[in-house]
Amino acid sequence: MTDIEQLEASILDDIHAASDEATLESVRVATLGKQGSVSALLKTLGAMNPDDRRTRGAAINALKDRVGLSIADRKGILKASALDARLARETVDVSLPVRPGPLAEGRIHPVSQVIDEITAIFADMGFAVAEGPDIETDHYNFTALNFPPDHPAREMHDTFFLKPKEDGSRLLLRTHTSPVQVRTMEKQRPPIRIIAPGRTYRCDSDATHTPMFHQVEGLVIDETTHFGHLKWVLEEFLKAFFEVDEVKTRFRPSFFPFTEPSMEVDVGCRRSGSEIRIGEGDDWLEILGCGMVHPNVIRAAGLDPDVYQGFAFGMGIDRIAMLKYGMPDLRAFFDADARWLKHYGFRPLDLPSLYGGLTG
Ligand code: PHE
């Protein structure tokens, strides 16, 4: 046996004996690495005469190639068996019962659920969701919405004001989501089709009023939208939301500084005891305010009221949540009582959608 054959036999033994990739790597370093045995052989070539170097060189390089191939083969085998071992080790018994975790225990608050339902319905009609800050300026909450200075409508809203600044101006907690109308018109060119759900604040508290409550604003602005569209959109919404085939609505003339004409909308219902059913009966329940956006509001937001027109509406989210899910006291919404939430809350994975069902 030549020295090359001998070396090869011992290297192949080492390769086959390597039972994991780390050991194999150390065999590679010990043979083909800079200080390795094959590399050491190659270094002897320099001192040889040209004839010896040619034959010996070819033999050593062939050895180097064969060792390289053997290492690569072995590496493939070790990789595959490591994967097999891991697959065998990490089997999961799919028949085991699911461990109750936060997903099973946690509940979505009815207000969040109703916001998701409202969003799903309006998204289906092509509305995007817009947002504005809870802390507003007098300009966005009132002035740009056509409330004249010192107009009693400003008092009507029982506004929470922040401490006045040096210049006398006061920030406030928005009393309605209508400021988002102005902010949206300033940012976005028509056609505009948005809803803006969010928190609103008024200094008021009893079984049906809390100082913080939720509204959803709707706004459509383009060149042709008229009152008929408003009626259709609201009726479609009410049918989808209350999951009934027909609703009766009644549009009563009303007043808001930012709409003209302005309406309040009642929905037909039946009351028996404390229960209210929407979609049947001869009773009425007030549910939202709406109207055609006042030209002054369109102008204040930087658009030309001779070109653009549209409608807006504002609805109390907590109120329609109480109606839909039969929750009698609004204050409980914000008590953070886990027992209440367990009773009235919704499962986190039952996302409301029009095709999957709003209420799961
Ligand atoms: N912002 C009004 C309110 O809070 C509701 C409303 C919104 C009315 C949009 C008309 C148009 O009472």
Side-chain angles (χ1 to χ4, degrees):
M1 226 191 221
T2 66
D3 59 339
I4 291 187
E5 284 168 345
Q6 232 163 27
L7 180 61
E8 179 165 7
S10 100
I11 294 176
L12 290 183
D13 280 351
D14 289 347
I15 292 176
H16 288 126
S19 57
D20 56 57
E21 288 185 69
T23 317
L24 184 64
E25 175 62 9
S26 57
V27 174
R28 189 191 66 77
V29 172
T31 54
L32 304 181
K34 262 207 180 84
Q35 317 287 335
S37 49
V38 177
S39 312
L41 272 183
L42 280 169
K43 280 181 202 148
T44 61
L45 294 176
M48 291 177 195
N49 66 47
D51 278 349
D52 284 353
R53 190 184 300 148
R54 201 171 305 117
T55 48
R56 196 72 186 146
I60 299 173
N61 274 313
L63 167 69
K64 188 179 162 198
D65 290 348
R66 287 195 300 279
V67 169
L69 281 176
S70 298
I71 290 178
D73 278 355
R74 184 74 187 148
K75 196 170 179 160
I77 292 167
L78 290 177
K79 257 207 165 72
S81 64
L83 181 62
D84 285 346
R86 187 161 161 217
L87 286 173
R89 196 170 61 241
E90 294 182 1
T91 47
V92 176
D93 181 354
V94 290
S95 65
L96 276 176
V98 175
R99 219 180 293 146
L103 218 50
E105 288 297 310
R107 289 293 181 275
I108 301 293
H109 194 284
V111 171
S112 302
Q113 165 78 15
V114 164
I115 289 176
D116 288 348
E117 293 178 20
I118 294 171
T119 305
I121 296 168
F122 280 105
D124 201 59
M125 292 195 269
F127 286 68
V129 174
E131 286 185 311
D134 289 17
I135 300 177
E136 264 299 2
T137 61
D138 183 89
H139 173 78
Y140 283 111
N141 198 78
F142 293 124
T143 310
L145 288 165
N146 198 36
F147 284 79
D150 303 318
H151 190 277
R154 292 184 188 233
E155 306 307 314
M156 222 162 71
H157 276 200
D158 302 315
T159 313
F160 286 113
F161 289 99
L162 277 69
K163 281 207 182 82
K165 292 198 255 185
E166 302 251 299
D167 65 3
S169 66
R170 287 185 299 181
L171 291 172
L172 49 85
L173 297 182
R174 65 177 179 188
T175 57
H176 51 177
T177 42
S178 301
V180 186
Q181 287 186 33
V182 183
R183 289 182 176 278
T184 307
M185 282 188 271
E186 282 180 349
K187 274 202 300 259
Q188 201 183 314
R189 307 302 303 172
I192 291 169
R193 247 182 249 124
I194 56 112
I195 56 164
R199 281 191 240 278
T200 46
Y201 305 83
R202 287 182 205 179
C203 189
D204 205 350
S205 188
D206 59 37
T208 54
H209 295 89
T210 49
M212 188 279 295
F213 58 106
H214 298 84
Q215 283 192 341
V216 57
E217 193 80 7
L219 176 70
V220 173
I221 297 286
D222 56 25
E223 294 177 25
T224 52
T225 287
H226 55 66
F227 203 87
H229 295 129
L230 168 60
K231 245 189 121 172
W232 182 86
V233 163
L234 290 177
E235 286 186 356
E236 286 305 302
F237 165 73
L238 291 171
K239 281 192 283 188
F241 180 75
F242 288 108
E243 303 179 62
V244 291
D245 293 332
E246 285 306 322
V247 282
K248 276 194 305 186
T249 51
R250 184 169 72 173
F251 286 68
R252 277 181 295 105
S254 181
F255 172 78
F256 303 102
F258 37 93
T259 45
E260 180 58 35
S262 303
M263 312 278 144
E264 273 168 324
V265 179
D266 300 337
V267 60
C269 67
R270 180 195 312 285
R271 287 171 220 251
S272 54
S274 64
E275 206 199 351
I276 301 181
R277 297 197 72 81
I278 304 290
E280 49 191 70
D282 298 319
D283 249 344
W284 296 101
L285 189 79
E286 184 192 322
I287 198 150
L288 61 93
C290 64
M292 298 305 291
V293 180
H294 197 293
N296 288 349
V297 177
I298 296 181
R299 193 176 297 113
L303 297 175
D304 181 353
D306 290 327
V307 178
Y308 296 112
Q309 61 182 42
F311 64 73
F313 60 84
M315 190 162 42
I317 292 177
D318 316 277
R319 194 176 159 75
I320 62 169
M322 289 169 79
L323 273 175
K324 182 166 177 180
Y325 294 112
M327 295 171 287
D329 191 335
L330 179 62
R331 286 167 297 196
F333 275 49
F334 309 117
D335 281 349
D337 184 332
R339 293 162 305 175
W340 183 86
L341 192 58
K342 191 149 185 83
H343 182 76
Y344 286 112
F346 295 83
R347 293 185 176 275
L349 291 184
D350 294 343
L351 292 184
S353 72
L354 282 185
Y355 42 91
L358 288 179
T359 22

